[in-house]
């Protein structure tokens, strides 16, 4: 069953189409990844789904109902975790969750219970009387999530929920997303961290210039890039490595050096076997090789190939 | 219910005790400073000590001088000492210049020449009055109609009518009202930030994503801020009344009507301008309007209707409407002005709210 269906969704600002005839479906129980560079139309799409901005053309159906005609129903069944923190610093964590949950019609003991549950879910039970101004970045992010889930929405939209937080809070949030999904919520997840999307999402859509340019499971997306393979070589020290000579080898498409990890990632044509020439090139440059790994293209490579841009650099 | 939730949320945002103390201390201190510094401008009585005046008789036969002395004896000018001076005019004027005497009256056949010390304006006015009265009497005696001086009781032939009521505001009374209305107008600055603060905190996204209407958000925020400001103003009134003994009159419901209408005016003004003038410029525009309204509205000093530039512009300040209405209400018991001022405030408030509501509906987001 489709929880969400976008039908030829279009949003225009003057002549510019931020979202252009976008059609996709999100099924019940999915964690659906929405990938796109800045300006690809991701946020505009999310804003239209959450009824924050009007639609120029097309239709959005939530649980089979057109949201333009069933605004209250749609809003009541959606929870949004905005990219930026959207909490009141002058209200305690509990008051924040209680206030936002109250806007969804919850009252009395039910409201209190749901607010406490949401705080417990995000690991903030012991901080429910504290003010967010005294919270760490990770705790604020968790409160941001708690405010979106207390009313138990069918669809949760998470827009970059792990931006700028410590690894502990990041892991907590990723686990929370999984738990929410297990509890029955369908989730739309966007992130600049490709590994998060790869780890969490069951299906992914890649947006570019307001359109879906690829959609499917991770395996399906990776299979799009059939003419390419990846070679990762770990070395003792990659500092000062001249990549030009490696790039000149016939069949090499891109060479990326990671100084921090002391590794070289080389993307090559799938049909050629040039591993020996690459290794010889590195040895000639006095680079000590520790390991070599040949693999299928990563989601990052798929994104780069399809959009011509890196997700984090965009 | 949603309106109430949002209104309560607005109230919860102001629980910071330090901020509340600061917000209360500002108007209370302003009242104290302005009420104390400018008290002389509101003092209806001026203490005048003994007035010493020199006079000389330069009439040819001394007849004027004789009449003058008779006049002085019979008119009974208390605390006013006229000393005959035999020296030159220059010497007499030197005595006036150095402050030993308030003035010097030179009697000669053509009349009086009076030289007054410019620092003694009140004393000079009183002496001039005596001299004028004598001159009138002298003319009558020349005309042959000798008045019976004994029957003339000073002041009996002049009836004085005060245009203002006998109970006038003291400086503290005036500034209790003026500072309160000024502080209310300053709430326009916070109102300008009312919706914008939701945008900058990104909470506008959550509010709009929830199943409540823009109208409920709008009204809830205004109601909350109205209640907050009303409570705040009530505290200022109580403090000024019990700390400074400021007079708020007997008709408190009408006083409240004017103040509440001004709160509505200020909030809607700030909100309206924040929609009309988008961005940070709106704050500058609001502050400029507030400053001008305060200056021309008598917040810093009482504006006298003397035809100058300031008094000509004063009627256009919203603070003038409220201040004058409150003064008339408190000291004259006139409810008409209060109703007019309230109607004006509420009329402008309704117009600004309408503009804001229309512009908000057209805008994407709040």
């Amino acid at each position: 069953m489709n929880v969400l269906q976008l039908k030829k969704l279009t949003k225009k600002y003057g002549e510019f189409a931020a979202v252009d005839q976008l059609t996709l479906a999100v099924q019940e129980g999915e964690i659906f990844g929405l990938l796109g560079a800045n300006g690809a139309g991701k946020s505009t799409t999310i804003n239209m789904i959450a009824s924050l901005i009007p639609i120029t053309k097309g239709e959005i159906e939530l649980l089979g109902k057109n949201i333009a005609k069933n605004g209250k129903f749609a809003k009541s069944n959606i929870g949004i975790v905005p990219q930026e923190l959207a909490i009141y610093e002058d209200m305690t964590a509990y008051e924040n969750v209680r206030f936002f949950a109250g806007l969804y019609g919850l009252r009395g003991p039910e409201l209190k219970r749901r607010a406490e549950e949401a705080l417990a879910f995000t690991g903030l039970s012991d901080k429910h009387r504290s003010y967010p101004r005294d919270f760490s970045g990770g705790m604020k992010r968790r409160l941001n999530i708690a405010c979106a889930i207390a009313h138990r929405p069918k669809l949760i939209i998470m827009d970059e929920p792990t931006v700028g937080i410590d690894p502990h809070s990041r892991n907590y949030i990723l686990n929370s997303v999984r738990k929410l999904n297990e509890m029955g919520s369908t989730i739309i997840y966007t992130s600049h961290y490709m590994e998060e999307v790869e780890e969490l999402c069951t299906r992914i859509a890649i947006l570019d210039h307001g359109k879906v340019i690829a959609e499917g499971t991770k395996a399906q997306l990776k299979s799009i890039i059939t003419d390419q393979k990846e070679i990762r070589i770990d070395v003792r020290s990659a500092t000062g490595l001249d990549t030009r000579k490696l790039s000149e080898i016939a069949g090499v498409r891109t060479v990326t050096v990671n100084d921090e990890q002391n590794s070289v990632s080389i993307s090559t044509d799938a049909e050629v076997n040039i591993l020996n020439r690459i290794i010889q090139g590195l040895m000639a440059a006095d680079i000590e090789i520790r390991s070599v790994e040949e693999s299928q293209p990563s989601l990052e490579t798929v994104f780069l190939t399809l959009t011509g841009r890196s997700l984090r650099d965009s | 219910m949603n309106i109430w939730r949002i209104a309560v949320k607005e109230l919860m945002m102001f629980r910071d005790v330090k901020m509340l103390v600061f917000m209360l201390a500002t108007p209370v201190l302003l009242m104290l400073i302005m009420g104390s510094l400018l008290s002389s401008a509101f003092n209806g009585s001026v203490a005048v000590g003994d007035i010493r005046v020199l006079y000389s008789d330069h009439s040819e036969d001394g007849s004027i001088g004789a009449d003058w002395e008779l006049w002085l004896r019979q008119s009974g000018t208390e605390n006013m000492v006229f000393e005959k001076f035999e020296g030159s005019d220059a010497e007499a004027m030197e005595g006036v210049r150095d402050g030993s005497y308030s003035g010097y009256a030179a009697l000669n056949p053509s009349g009086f020449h009076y030289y007054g010390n410019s620092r003694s304006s009140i004393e000079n006015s009183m002496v001039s009055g005596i001299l004028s009265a004598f001159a009138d009497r002298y003319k009558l005696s020349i005309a042959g109609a000798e008045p019976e001086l004994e029957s003339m009781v000073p002041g009996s032939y002049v009836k004085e009518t005060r245009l203002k009521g006998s109970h006038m505001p003291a400086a503290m009374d005036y500034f209790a009202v003026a500072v309160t209305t000024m502080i209310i107008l300053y709430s326009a600055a916070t109102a300008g930030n009312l919706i914008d603060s939701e945008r900058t905190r990104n909470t506008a996204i959550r509010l709009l994503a929830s199943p409540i209407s823009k109208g409920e958000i709008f009204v809830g925020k205004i109601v909350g801020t109205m209640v907050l400001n009303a409570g705040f103003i009530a505290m200022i009134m109580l403090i000024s009344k019990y700390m400074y003994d400021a007079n708020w009159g007997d008709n408190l419901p009408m006083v409240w009507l004017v103040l509440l209408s001004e709160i509505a005016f200020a909030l809607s003004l700030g909100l309206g301008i924040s929609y009309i003038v988008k961005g940070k410029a709106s704050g500058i525009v609001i502050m400029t309007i507030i400053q001008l309204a305060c200056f021309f509205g008598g917040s810093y000093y009482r504006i006298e209707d003397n035809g100058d530039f300031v008094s000509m512009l004063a009627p256009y300040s919203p603070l003038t409407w409220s201040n004058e209405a409150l003064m008339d209400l408190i000291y004259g018991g006139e409810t008409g002005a209060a109703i007019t001022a309230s109607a004006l405030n509420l009329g402008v408030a309704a117009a600004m709210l309408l503009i804001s509501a229309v512009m908000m509906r057209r805008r994407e987001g709040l």
Side-chain angles (χ1 to χ4, degrees):
Chain A
M1 179 197 169
N2 287 339
V3 169
L4 181 75
Q5 193 154 19
L6 313 183
K7 296 176 182 174
K8 293 188 173 180
L9 189 65
T10 302
K11 178 67 185 178
K12 280 192 171 180
Y13 294 100
E15 289 301 306
F16 172 70
V19 174
D20 192 6
Q21 305 228 4
L22 194 146
T23 297
L24 60 82
V26 178
Q27 287 157 16
E28 191 173 9
E30 275 190 324
I31 302 179
F32 190 87
L34 211 51
L35 288 181
N38 285 339
K42 227 167 42 228
S43 294
T44 310
T45 305
I46 287 172
N47 288 344
M48 284 191 283
I49 296 168
S51 302
L52 298 177
I53 56 172
I55 298 164
T56 307
K57 263 186 194 172
E59 241 177 61
I60 300 175
E61 276 184 10
L62 183 82
L63 300 165
K65 289 184 180 180
N66 187 333
I67 68 162
K69 293 171 186 165
N70 300 278
K72 276 205 167 182
F73 167 82
K75 285 180 168 186
S76 298
N77 284 291
I78 293 175
I80 186 162
V81 181
Q83 185 174 348
E84 305 295 338
L85 291 168
I87 49 177
Y88 296 108
E89 301 264 328
D90 309 307
M91 287 162 64
T92 65
Y94 173 71
E95 286 166 350
N96 264 286
V97 180
R98 191 187 161 94
F99 168 69
F100 287 116
L103 299 178
Y104 288 83
L106 297 173
R107 301 279 180 271
E110 173 81 353
L111 173 61
K112 185 173 181 288
R113 189 171 56 79
R114 294 276 193 92
E116 285 170 350
E117 277 175 10
L119 285 170
F121 184 81
T122 48
L124 293 171
S125 283
D126 56 333
K127 299 282 178 190
H128 82 293
R129 283 179 195 274
S130 305
Y131 288 87
R133 57 176 173 252
D134 302 324
F135 284 7
S136 68
M139 286 159 75
K140 285 181 184 178
R141 286 272 161 203
R142 282 188 267 157
L143 179 59
N144 207 30
I145 293 174
C147 290
I149 61 171
H151 63 286
R152 291 186 188 163
K154 294 274 193 304
L155 176 68
I156 301 169
I157 301 169
M158 293 184 152
D159 193 5
E160 307 265 5
T162 58
V163 168
I165 58 170
D166 58 280
H168 172 73
S169 289
R170 184 168 166 268
N171 285 337
Y172 198 101
I173 288 173
L174 295 181
N175 285 332
S176 301
V177 175
R178 284 191 202 98
K179 264 193 216 168
L180 281 169
N181 183 239
E182 284 163 16
M183 288 160 67
S185 289
T186 303
I187 294 160
I188 294 178
Y189 193 92
T190 79
S191 176
H192 265 59
Y193 301 108
M194 195 64 84
E195 58 272 30
E196 279 183 11
V197 178
E198 279 205 74
E199 195 182 324
L200 280 176
C201 299
T202 45
R203 276 200 318 132
I204 298 156
I206 296 175
L207 265 64
D208 197 31
H209 296 104
K211 292 181 178 180
V212 175
I213 55 170
E215 184 191 346
T217 61
K218 280 170 278 186
Q220 285 170 336
L221 288 176
K222 285 176 183 176
S223 70
I224 295 172
I225 314 292
T226 53
D227 60 341
Q228 198 173 316
K229 63 183 175 189
E230 301 280 313
I231 299 169
R232 180 186 158 112
I233 304 170
D234 288 336
V235 296
R236 176 183 274 277
S237 173
T239 310
L241 174 65
D242 184 2
T243 59
R244 278 178 302 177
K245 285 198 173 168
L246 293 175
S247 302
E248 285 166 4
I249 298 170
V252 169
R253 292 188 177 186
T254 59
V255 179
T256 312
V257 177
N258 189 328
D259 283 335
E260 282 177 16
Q261 293 181 2
N262 284 322
S263 68
V264 186
S265 297
I266 303 166
S267 149
T268 70
D269 293 342
E271 68 273 14
V272 296
N273 194 345
I274 50 173
L275 186 57
N276 285 341
R277 292 180 63 192
I278 291 168
I279 290 170
Q280 282 168 8
L282 287 171
M283 287 171 72
D286 279 342
I287 300 290
E288 190 180 323
I289 297 169
R290 295 199 153 172
S291 68
V292 178
E293 188 185 341
E294 205 174 82
S295 63
Q296 288 301 304
S298 66
L299 206 53
E300 179 82 48
T301 310
V302 174
F303 186 86
L304 188 67
T305 308
L306 292 176
T307 65
R309 284 181 282 181
S310 163
L311 191 60
R312 282 189 207 184
D313 295 339
S314 58
Chain B
M1 189 63 183
N2 286 327
I3 290 174
W4 177 242
R5 275 183 190 283
I6 290 171
V8 170
K9 188 267 292 176
E10 288 299 309
L11 295 173
M12 287 168 80
M13 308 289 280
F14 280 86
R15 288 175 298 177
D16 188 341
V17 177
K18 283 180 200 162
M19 182 186 267
L20 188 68
V21 168
F22 177 77
M23 284 172 70
L24 281 173
T26 306
V28 169
L29 280 173
L30 264 178
M31 282 176 200
L32 179 66
I33 292 165
M34 295 171 95
S36 306
L37 284 181
L38 302 174
S39 60
S40 61
F42 290 81
N43 204 339
S45 62
V46 178
V48 177
D50 286 344
I51 302 170
R52 296 178 69 206
V53 181
L54 290 175
Y55 77 92
S56 62
D57 182 4
H58 298 303
S59 60
E60 287 170 0
D61 56 359
S63 60
I64 302 177
D67 278 350
W68 168 247
E69 278 165 22
L70 177 66
W71 163 259
L72 284 179
R73 279 198 306 277
Q74 292 177 333
S75 60
T77 49
E78 287 176 14
N79 301 326
M80 207 180 285
V81 181
F82 286 87
E83 296 176 18
K84 191 162 186 179
F85 186 69
E86 301 292 349
S88 67
D89 284 354
E91 286 171 329
M93 280 189 270
E94 186 56 38
V96 173
R97 226 175 261 121
D98 66 18
S100 303
Y101 297 92
S102 297
Y104 166 57
L107 280 74
N108 53 49
S110 60
F112 276 111
H113 277 241
Y114 181 71
Y115 306 92
N117 187 319
S118 59
R119 286 169 293 178
S120 312
S121 57
I122 295 170
E123 288 89 337
N124 285 332
S125 300
M126 292 167 76
V127 175
S128 296
I130 295 286
L131 296 179
S132 300
F134 170 72
D136 290 344
R137 181 251 173 204
Y138 187 74
K139 280 179 210 162
L140 285 174
S141 70
I142 294 294
E146 187 77 30
E148 292 179 6
L149 289 171
E150 291 79 0
S151 66
M152 288 174 62
V153 179
S156 65
Y157 47 89
V158 177
K159 189 172 183 217
E160 184 182 334
T161 305
R162 293 188 67 135
L163 294 174
K164 294 276 181 183
S166 58
H167 188 186
M168 290 299 294
M172 196 56 83
D173 296 326
Y174 177 81
F175 283 111
V177 171
V179 170
T180 303
T181 55
M182 179 176 74
I183 289 296
I184 291 174
L185 194 62
Y186 266 93
S187 62
T190 50
N193 205 29
L194 203 58
I195 301 291
D196 199 44
S197 63
E198 299 288 356
R199 291 187 208 116
T200 52
R201 279 189 299 234
N202 302 305
T203 41
I205 296 172
R206 277 202 200 289
L207 293 175
L208 288 171
S210 65
I212 59 170
S213 67
K214 275 186 181 182
E216 285 174 307
I217 300 169
F218 189 72
V219 175
K221 287 189 76 72
I222 290 169
V223 169
T225 317
M226 272 287 287
V227 172
L228 182 73
N229 276 281
F232 178 61
I233 294 305
M235 278 193 267
I236 292 175
M237 281 178 73
L238 285 172
I239 291 171
S240 67
K241 185 171 176 64
Y242 292 107
M243 193 182 275
Y244 302 141
D245 200 24
N247 182 16
W248 285 96
D250 302 321
N251 197 347
L252 280 180
M254 283 305 287
V255 169
W256 259 110
L257 176 70
V258 177
L259 293 178
L260 285 177
S261 72
E262 201 207 329
I263 294 172
F265 169 87
L267 295 181
S268 54
L269 179 77
L271 201 55
I273 289 171
S274 74
Y275 272 98
I276 296 165
V277 186
K278 289 169 192 161
K280 287 182 179 172
S282 68
I284 298 167
V285 173
I286 293 168
M287 281 312 289
T288 307
I289 291 172
I290 292 172
Q291 292 294 336
L292 289 174
C294 290
F295 183 77
F296 292 110
S299 299
Y300 306 126
Y301 61 96
R302 193 166 59 179
I303 308 288
E304 299 290 348
D305 186 10
N306 55 12
D308 67 359
F309 178 69
V310 175
S311 65
M312 279 166 66
L313 287 177
Y316 301 104
S317 167
L319 287 181
T320 305
W321 314 335
S322 299
N323 286 343
E324 287 192 351
L326 287 169
M327 288 298 163
D328 288 350
L329 182 64
I330 296 167
Y331 296 100
E334 292 176 32
T335 53
I339 290 167
T340 307
S342 303
L344 261 171
N345 284 338
L346 292 174
V348 176
M352 294 305 273
L353 286 178
L354 189 68
I355 291 169
S356 307
V358 169
M359 293 187 84
M360 188 173 79
R361 278 183 68 86
R362 285 182 183 173
R363 184 182 279 194
E364 278 188 358
L366 273 181

